[in-house]
Each structure stands twice: as structure tokens, then as C-alpha cells.
Amino acid sequence: MTRRSAYLLLLIPALLWCAGFMVVPLLPLHSPAADVLTRLYGRVCHQIPGRSLLWDLAPWAVCIRCSAIYLAFTVALAGVPLIRGLDRWRPLTPPLFAAWLVPVIADAVLDLSGLHAAGSVSRLVTGSFAGVGLALTITPLFMDALGQRRAPTLISSSGEPHARKTV
């Protein structure tokens, strides 16, 4: 499988996933499609209406934080190849990846502990950071796992790339 095919295998479901949670408010209330989608997204989100974005006065099928994570992931997933290209896209290092996730974790923990009341803006911003960090890390790993036919390039202790020796 090529890196491009692996990339599309991630991009297309991400686009459909985002479209699915945003379309729920546009469907007739309690229609079979709305009920199925609401139940599906309910498996990954608490769906508290007061913590959800509204579309035509009806809540999306996921909360603001989940919406931000999914949308930022998808936007980064779609945008990075236009800027960097698929072949040059490398995953974030673990410390950089963690740095993208710390704000959303801190926001949620502080909110749950009662030390800080997370509002819509903090959920939106921190969720967006997490979504971008996830896309910057998961996508190249996914493409490498499915699309790589040669030995991965490793970075030596001197900082020079070298190919892994096969046994």
C-alpha cells in the first residue's frame, strides 16, 4: 500500500466522522438515522447538551471538546500534506506530542477536581490542541505502518539517518 493510499484510508473516515456528528441536528428529531448516529457518538462522548455546539438550536452529537478534537484532527490531517507533503511528514517526538495533549488533560482534570470551571472556550481551545497533536503524530505512524515497503530510516546518535539492517 502506498503512503497516499494509507493517508486516504485515514482522511476519508475522519471526514465522514466529522460530518456525522455535525449532521445530527439537521435530521428530523428521533428519526432512525438521528437515533443511530446519536447512539454511535454516545459511545465516545457524554453528549451533555449544555456542553455541545448548537446547529439550528439543536446540539451536535458530541460535546465541544470532542468536536474540537475531531475537527482539529481532520483539519490538520487535510492541511499538513498541502504544506509539508506526505513523504516528508514525520511523527512528533514523545515530548512534543505530550506538549500538545497537556492543555486538554489539565483542563479536564482541573474541571473534574473543582479547581477550575472549564468553559466552552477552554474546551474548544484545548481540544483543538489535542486534535492537532494527535493528527501530527498518528497520521505519519499510520502511513508508515501501512505504506512502508522499505526498512524505516532511523536517526543515529550522531543525528545522521541510516537504514535499519535486516536480519
Side-chain angles (χ1 to χ4, degrees):
M1 178 178 287
T2 66
R3 284 178 65 86
R4 181 178 170 84
S5 298
Y7 168 76
L8 291 173
L9 192 59
L10 193 57
L11 177 64
I12 292 167
L15 290 167
L16 292 172
W17 182 260
C18 289
F21 69 76
M22 293 189 312
V23 76
V24 168
L26 303 176
L27 298 171
L29 190 61
H30 301 298
S31 68
D35 290 343
V36 166
L37 286 172
T38 300
R39 279 196 309 276
L40 172 70
Y41 290 106
R43 295 190 178 274
V44 295
C45 180
H46 57 69
Q47 297 179 322
I48 296 171
R51 293 186 183 178
S52 298
L53 294 168
L54 301 177
W55 191 287
D56 197 25
L57 300 177
W60 286 8
V62 294
C63 70
I64 291 172
R65 184 175 285 134
C66 289
S67 298
I69 292 169
Y70 300 142
L71 290 169
F73 178 92
T74 304
V75 168
L77 179 63
V80 169
L82 301 174
I83 299 165
R84 185 146 180 90
L86 289 178
D87 291 333
R88 293 182 36 212
W89 194 349
R90 300 291 173 254
L92 297 176
T93 62
L96 281 175
F97 176 58
W100 284 92
L101 298 181
V102 165
V104 75
I105 294 167
D107 190 49
V109 167
L110 290 171
D111 187 40
L112 290 171
S113 70
L115 295 173
H116 157 75
S120 297
V121 173
S122 70
R123 288 182 179 107
L124 185 68
V125 171
T126 61
S128 296
F129 272 100
V132 170
L134 287 164
L136 293 176
T137 304
I138 290 171
T139 306
L141 292 173
F142 184 80
M143 289 187 305
D144 285 348
L146 294 183
Q148 197 169 47
R149 294 180 186 255
R150 62 188 187 291
T153 300
L154 303 175
I155 304 298
S156 69
S157 57
S158 66
E160 295 297 317
H162 66 280
R164 178 182 292 175
K165 292 181 182 178
T166 55
V167 182

